[in-house]
Amino acid sequence: KVIGTDKKTDLALIKVEGKKDFTYVKFADQPPRVGDWVVAVGNPFGLGGTVTAGIVSARGRDIGAGPYDDYVQIDAPINKGNSGGPAFDMNGNVIGVNTAIFSPSGGSVGIGFDIPAGTAKLVVAQLKDKGYITRGWLGVQVQPVTADIADSLGMKQARGAMVDNPQDGSPAAKAGIEAGDVITAVNGEQVKDSRDLARNISMMAPGSSVKLDILHKGETKTLTLALGEMPNDHQASADDTSPKAAAGTPHLGLRLAPASEVEGAGQKGVVVTAVDPEGPAAEHGLQTGDVILDVGGKAVSNTADVRSALTAAAAGGKHSVLMHVKTADATRFVAVPLAKG
């Protein structure tokens, strides 16, 4: 009998009736180390129970399957039919569940991926208790902190998740988190990037108290809030579209007009009316029709405001400036190299 399923982690819990006690295996209490030996068990190509051996090649792999990717990579040969089978450590504990392979040919090339035991334990516990999964929810759209963005904010390292758009009424909005803030740590653990934040929060139960370290307008502060429950239609978004890094150039390559003077652009910001295809703004994804809402944290309403904000950023020793941009279907932050003259 199927008790429950979770498509986001590709796991399900089933119940098997029986009169006698079943032999069972245990999930490992600690994650494996890179280089540890592993044994994978499965039913490749329908041949029957098959055992293969290898080592842990890497941890925390993102294979583009979704915002919660956190796979253990192993080189024990696994093929079609191995999915759902366990991967054991040398003590007989399950360190992961075989789920996918990377293969140009369709067969094993020694790059397999396992759902970590820690993830499986959390999912199984919720499925057993409720029959479905609930996930923690901050209510923010986030994007990675690129090197250019880190420089424009005065950060020493390109780490953390930049808040692009807190949703109205969400736990993040109620706690005072604003667009442009960077979440750098959750409960004292550093946030590597936007996907890392999404994974951490989603693995926590709704209602959990969470301490967040935030970089807000150049100052570090700590907020404590209670997570909400992730609605099916309001899942945390981790935008992985990273603008290309570019060297400083003598112009931005933009032609601008006040939004109030352009039909359909709204009343706030300045509209990009033309983009030099060879300029840095084009390289960073700005397009005709985009609306620049603020530059360097300052709201802009005309070209003079933009010029003033660029001058102030340059005077402050910044090599790039952060722009909050509204596109046709979303808003995002873009760090563009400052002009040299």
Side-chain angles (χ1 to χ4, degrees):
K1 177 184 177 181
V2 178
I3 301 300
T5 63
D6 180 39
K7 291 183 179 179
K8 290 183 174 66
T9 56
D10 194 29
L11 290 170
L13 177 66
I14 62 172
K15 182 179 181 180
V16 181
E17 300 290 349
K19 295 182 179 180
K20 296 182 180 181
D21 291 338
F22 290 100
T23 300
Y24 65 93
V25 293
K26 293 175 61 179
F27 283 119
D29 293 325
Q30 300 293 330
R33 299 172 300 175
V34 174
D36 283 352
W37 282 95
V38 292
V39 172
V41 178
N43 182 28
F45 303 112
L47 291 172
T50 299
V51 178
T52 55
I55 62 170
V56 174
S57 304
R59 288 172 44 194
R61 282 294 196 224
D62 175 0
I63 61 173
Y68 313 115
D69 284 11
D70 187 24
Y71 293 103
V72 177
Q73 181 182 329
I74 64 174
D75 71 352
I78 58 177
N79 289 283
K80 184 178 180 180
N82 278 97
S83 293
F88 292 96
D89 63 19
M90 291 298 96
N91 294 316
N93 297 314
V94 177
I95 61 98
V97 181
N98 305 327
T99 190
I101 62 172
F102 175 81
S103 173
S105 63
S108 174
V109 293
I111 302 177
F113 301 99
D114 280 18
I115 301 161
T119 299
K121 282 194 290 186
L122 290 172
V123 170
V124 166
Q126 284 204 46
L127 292 178
K128 183 178 180 181
D129 183 44
K130 296 179 288 190
Y132 59 91
I133 299 296
T134 57
R135 287 182 163 86
W137 181 61
L138 271 179
V140 294
Q141 290 180 339
V142 290
Q143 65 181 72
V145 177
T146 65
D148 285 339
I149 289 176
D151 178 75
S152 66
L153 295 175
M155 299 174 64
K156 294 181 179 179
Q157 290 182 306
R159 300 179 68 94
M162 169 167 274
V163 177
D164 183 20
N165 182 27
Q167 298 181 28
D168 293 339
S170 66
K174 291 177 181 178
I177 295 175
E178 301 176 1
D181 289 349
V182 178
I183 300 174
T184 59
V186 176
N187 292 334
E189 295 290 331
Q190 281 193 333
V191 173
K192 297 177 183 177
D193 52 32
S194 51
R195 282 187 177 272
D196 190 32
L197 176 68
R199 283 194 298 263
N200 288 342
I201 296 300
S202 70
M203 287 294 108
M204 299 180 187
S208 300
S209 179
V210 177
K211 184 175 71 173
L212 302 177
D213 291 344
I214 308 287
L215 180 64
H216 176 76
K217 295 181 179 179
E219 296 183 359
T220 301
K221 64 178 183 178
T222 300
L223 300 175
T224 301
L225 54 82
L227 293 177
E229 180 177 336
M230 183 187 294
N232 289 332
D233 57 345
H234 285 108
Q235 296 178 8
S237 169
D239 180 3
D240 271 344
T241 304
S242 303
K244 295 182 291 182
T249 55
H251 61 91
L252 295 179
L254 293 176
R255 185 177 298 164
L256 307 171
S260 58
E261 298 178 4
V262 179
E263 185 177 355
Q267 297 298 311
K268 295 182 179 180
V270 294
V271 179
V272 177
T273 59
V275 181
D276 178 357
E278 302 299 325
E283 291 186 9
H284 285 68
L286 270 71
Q287 300 178 6
T288 300
D290 289 349
V291 180
I292 300 174
L293 300 173
D294 70 57
V295 179
K298 298 178 181 179
V300 294
S301 59
N302 52 53
T303 54
D305 289 344
V306 175
R307 235 180 264 115
S308 176
L310 293 175
T311 301
K318 299 290 180 62
H319 299 293
S320 57
V321 65
L322 195 64
M323 296 182 177
H324 196 191
V325 180
K326 182 174 70 173
T327 64
D329 54 3
T331 60
R332 64 190 182 109
F333 285 92
V334 181
V336 180
L338 287 169
K340 290 184 176 180

